[in-house]
Amino acid sequence: MRKLMTVWIGALLLAGCATPQERAAAAQAEMERMMVVYGPACSRLGYPSSSDSWRNCVPQLSARDDLERYGYPHYDGALGRSHWSLGGYWGPYW
């Protein structure tokens, strides 16, 4: 039973691994998605399409949107905005 469990866990771990080609394809797909979503906004901001400034604008708008949506990343409740800040460490309901 223990041997079967070890094989099963090993198979799951190997299934989660991605080759460099798969990671590159995923990054390319993400960039293409960002170009579709944020490319028109960068063009309306005055950046010529397919220029270096336009290519810099696309990930910047994506990052700005992510920060507005998810907030600033932090690992300590004392740094930045935190969901604990309304009522002390345990929140407003304690």
Side-chain angles (χ1 to χ4, degrees):
M1 184 68 168
R2 176 173 254 173
K3 193 173 194 178
L4 178 65
M5 191 63 125
T6 304
V7 170
W8 180 251
I9 290 174
L12 285 175
L13 290 174
L14 286 176
C17 296
T19 65
Q21 293 84 6
E22 290 171 337
R23 287 193 298 269
Q28 180 67 29
E30 176 64 18
M31 189 60 189
E32 289 173 2
R33 185 198 64 81
M34 287 190 320
M35 288 169 55
V36 168
V37 173
Y38 299 105
C42 290
S43 296
R44 284 193 302 265
L45 287 172
Y47 296 110
S49 293
S50 299
S51 66
D52 286 339
S53 57
W54 184 84
R55 287 185 196 100
N56 288 332
C57 174
V58 169
Q60 286 177 355
L61 285 181
S62 175
R64 190 181 104 205
D65 191 33
D66 287 346
L67 285 175
E68 288 176 0
R69 183 177 297 131
Y70 303 116
Y72 293 96
H74 61 278
Y75 301 101
D76 184 4
L79 302 174
R81 191 174 57 181
S82 174
H83 62 278
W84 299 107
S85 62
L86 292 175
Y89 187 74
W90 293 106
Y93 304 110
W94 286 90

